[in-house]
Amino acid sequence: MTIDQEQYENLQSQWRQFAIERNRQYLQYLAPRARVDFVLVGKMTSIDEQHAAETPPGKFPDVPPPGYNLLISMGDLILNYGAHRHLCQSGETYYLTDLGKGAVPPKYAKGKILKEEFTAWYPKLLEELELVAKPDATVVPVGSATGHFLKAQPNFPYRLTNPILHWSTAAVSAAKMAGSLFPREWDAYLRSTSWEDLRASTEEVFTKAGLDQHMDAVHRRFKDKFRELHAHYMFTYKKEMPLKRPDAC
């Protein structure tokens, strides 16, 4: 079933306006073309304090192509890689979003402020899921904070899995755990994995989304930045993602 793109844009306009009302910056999301089987829900958009002080609410500092939230950083690409390569099977689709769509500096994305943000945005997440998710879709929280909040909501209307690891340089030690649990597989994976593997998956994702014109710019930006820590996250998602499938439970 295709997505009503005008309806999605109306929702996005509401998100932007709500961010303005909460004195938050906002970065647009990419609509799926049809209802999806899996929705991965992150915590919220991050912005550094200087940019937050300089950027009007509802706006966002310039970001590189393709210019959509959850498609601009190496961590974003790795999360998409995991969902595309290891969560979805043939014919299945996924969508990435955040629970809190107003951007906040990382030091505020915790404790009381985080709970307030989640509580305020939660009704809008339900509206979003109603539009983009199939009735039997699975929701996969990205990070424990998002997972704990969604699990605590009564009558959450979708199958909810345990959270997967949230991309963060501060969580590299957690990402390395998969390698320590499966050392031989990890060694083989590390020898065979490179930016080219991530690039190939990203190109498939971008082509399906109609964003393939941005791949050259993405390649130039990231080709020399791939490090072993990125392979750790890719391997972690390879081990985690299949466990979130309904047929794995």
Side-chain angles (χ1 to χ4, degrees), residues 20-247:
I20 293 172
E21 293 170 6
R22 297 185 61 77
N23 197 34
R24 305 294 190 209
Q25 284 69 41
Y26 180 81
L27 178 60
Q28 67 180 345
Y29 292 80
L30 179 67
R33 295 188 172 184
R35 289 181 181 266
V36 299
D37 302 279
F38 298 94
V39 180
L40 286 76
V41 182
K43 185 162 66 173
M44 60 180 55
T45 309
S46 181
I47 186 172
D48 65 59
E49 290 189 74
Q50 180 177 347
H51 280 130
E54 296 173 349
T55 308
K59 303 292 185 180
F60 205 81
D62 289 339
V63 295
Y68 289 99
N69 215 329
L70 300 171
L71 281 174
I72 56 176
S73 72
M74 186 78 86
D76 293 339
L77 302 187
I78 291 171
L79 184 59
N80 279 274
Y81 162 90
H84 174 60
R85 285 278 182 89
H86 302 302
L87 180 62
C88 293
Q89 295 183 353
S90 178
E92 294 179 333
T93 54
Y94 72 94
Y95 167 70
L96 267 58
T97 190
D98 288 312
L99 176 48
K101 294 178 175 62
V104 299
K107 75 175 187 179
Y108 298 120
K110 57 186 177 181
K112 182 180 179 181
I113 294 177
L114 179 62
K115 185 176 181 179
E116 289 175 349
E117 290 292 317
F118 279 0
T119 301
W121 284 98
Y122 178 66
K124 299 188 180 301
L125 175 67
L126 294 180
E127 293 177 356
E128 179 182 13
L129 291 174
E130 186 175 357
L131 176 63
V132 305
K134 294 178 180 178
D136 60 347
T138 297
V139 173
V140 182
V142 182
S144 58
T146 307
H148 290 156
F149 181 87
L150 292 178
K151 187 175 182 180
Q153 304 312 303
N155 303 315
F156 185 70
Y158 298 89
R159 177 181 177 272
L160 181 67
T161 74
N162 290 328
I164 60 171
L165 186 65
H166 168 66
W167 163 266
S168 167
T169 53
V172 172
S173 59
K176 290 180 178 180
M177 288 183 64
S180 65
L181 291 172
F182 305 93
R184 291 185 179 179
E185 188 177 349
W186 160 245
D187 287 343
Y189 186 83
L190 181 59
R191 288 194 299 270
S192 64
T193 300
S194 66
W195 159 248
E196 291 303 324
D197 184 27
L198 181 55
R199 177 190 179 182
S201 176
T202 300
E203 190 162 8
E204 292 172 7
V205 170
F206 276 31
T207 299
K208 289 181 179 179
L211 301 173
D212 47 305
Q213 70 271 26
H214 299 299
M215 269 310 303
D216 286 345
V218 169
H219 177 62
R220 289 193 299 270
R221 190 162 74 252
F222 291 118
K223 65 178 181 178
D224 297 323
K225 297 180 179 179
F226 189 87
R227 300 291 184 268
E228 184 174 318
L229 72 91
H230 302 124
H232 274 294
Y233 274 95
M234 291 167 68
F235 183 70
T236 296
Y237 290 147
K238 178 182 178 182
K239 304 304 292 185
E240 280 191 321
M241 292 293 191
L243 301 177
K244 308 308 175 186
R245 295 187 48 77
D247 51 20

